[in-house]
Amino acid sequence: MSINLNVTKVGQGPNLVFLHGWGVNSGVWQPLIDILANEYCITTIDLPGYGKNHQELPEPYDIGSVSKLIAAHLPADCVLIGWSLGGLIAQQVAYDFPDKLQRLVLICSSPKFAKDLGWPGIDKDVLMLFARQLSLDFSKMLERFLMIQAMGSENAKFDVKTIKQNVQQYPNPSETALLAGLKMLENVDLRQQLSTLAIPCHLFLGRLDSLVPAAISEHLAECCPGVNIEVIAHASHAPFISDTDGFTKQLKAVLHR
């Protein structure tokens, strides 16, 4: 059975496409959309199993099948912007379908999320804990995950409240998609693909991010020298929420290059 994802478009101008992170949906982008829609045509795509696409589940559910689905819904000559898990999927799209993209922008994302010898990242025990908690209480698990995302932000409680308000307008994600996403975060390693990327790539990192440590910038400078990296001094995992106006200016500066 073919899968046709629900896609939302707003605004006019150059094409920007946004991919959200794990556990949430495209509602997370609303503060940014409210500003950017005056200058850009913005496409948001809920990942399979999330938001408006919560019933759309590819088989197998892996990074290859998801990136292929996303690529089929991209407007021509777009800038693909991915946050967290959405950034991991965006990297796969950029590697597999470079002709569809003008540029790749990653926000608090990484080619390898799991911590490993000589590579900073998320401890695999933390990912396993979220997997166990999923079957118990999704709402409480999401609350904990959002709090971890906001750690370090001066407005942590506000950040969590804003994200929850925006994403709770849509259906809860599929447990299948959530578990598959955790497996991607645990196992996928795209460092080799990112090092050979055929299009420009800009990565925003938050100095206070506890999920994607800013320390990966040093390692990426060695293995992926073509990636332009910018560390935001006072940001944690969701800089477009904690300082929407400031992040918008930084994003526009990249888009105008």
Side-chain angles (χ1 to χ4, degrees):
M1 182 180 71
S2 63
I3 294 178
N4 189 36
L5 297 179
N6 190 304
V7 173
T8 302
K9 290 191 177 185
V10 63
Q12 291 184 330
N15 283 304
L16 306 183
V17 180
F18 287 86
L19 299 182
H20 62 82
W22 186 84
V24 294
N25 53 57
S26 292
V28 77
W29 298 114
Q30 198 56 54
L32 210 53
I33 292 171
D34 289 342
I35 300 173
L36 292 172
N38 292 324
E39 299 179 45
Y40 298 92
C41 179
I42 298 173
T43 299
T44 52
I45 307 175
D46 284 324
L47 298 177
Y50 290 84
K52 295 179 180 179
N53 296 315
H54 70 286
Q55 294 181 317
E56 306 296 340
L57 298 168
E59 293 184 10
Y61 195 119
D62 57 24
I63 194 165
S65 61
V66 172
S67 67
K68 188 175 181 180
L69 273 175
I70 296 297
H73 293 81
L74 295 177
D77 197 33
C78 65
V79 176
L80 183 58
I81 302 170
W83 171 55
S84 199
L85 172 63
L88 188 67
I89 293 167
Q91 291 171 63
Q92 187 70 53
V93 173
Y95 181 73
D96 289 339
F97 307 95
D99 293 345
K100 287 180 171 283
L101 306 181
Q102 178 191 114
R103 180 186 296 272
L104 177 65
V105 177
L106 306 173
I107 304 171
C108 297
S109 191
S110 174
K112 175 177 166 58
F113 275 75
K115 184 179 180 180
D116 211 342
L117 185 64
W119 184 263
I122 308 173
D123 195 305
K124 290 188 178 183
D125 289 341
V126 173
L127 296 172
M128 291 172 64
L129 176 63
F130 282 123
R132 289 196 298 269
Q133 290 178 335
L134 263 180
S135 59
L136 299 176
D137 190 328
F138 169 73
S139 181
K140 285 186 179 179
M141 183 279 303
L142 180 60
E143 182 94 25
R144 292 190 188 102
F145 184 65
L146 293 180
M147 283 304 300
I148 291 175
Q149 290 187 28
M151 281 174 58
S153 169
E154 295 178 356
N155 308 302
K157 289 184 178 179
F158 171 80
D159 294 357
V160 171
K161 182 180 179 181
T162 300
I163 293 174
K164 284 185 68 177
Q165 284 179 339
N166 288 326
V167 305
Q168 286 179 343
Q169 300 175 46
Y170 302 93
N172 282 343
S174 155
E175 187 171 327
T176 297
L178 290 168
L179 288 171
L182 288 174
K183 286 184 179 179
M184 290 184 205
L185 294 175
E186 180 180 355
N187 299 316
V188 171
D189 183 349
L190 298 181
R191 286 176 290 184
Q192 178 61 35
Q193 288 90 328
L194 191 61
S195 70
T196 60
L197 206 59
I199 61 172
C201 177
H202 189 93
L203 169 62
F204 289 104
L205 294 172
R207 188 179 64 81
L208 306 176
D209 193 342
S210 59
L211 291 174
V212 180
I216 71 167
S217 62
E218 301 169 12
H219 300 268
L220 282 174
E222 294 181 10
C223 67
C224 305
V227 177
N228 189 26
I229 303 170
E230 184 173 351
V231 178
I232 305 175
H234 301 291
S236 54
H237 194 61
F240 54 92
I241 296 292
S242 56
D243 182 11
T244 306
D245 290 339
F247 180 77
T248 301
K249 291 177 182 177
Q250 290 171 290
L251 177 59
K252 282 184 177 181
V254 172
L255 297 176
H256 290 161
R257 287 176 187 169

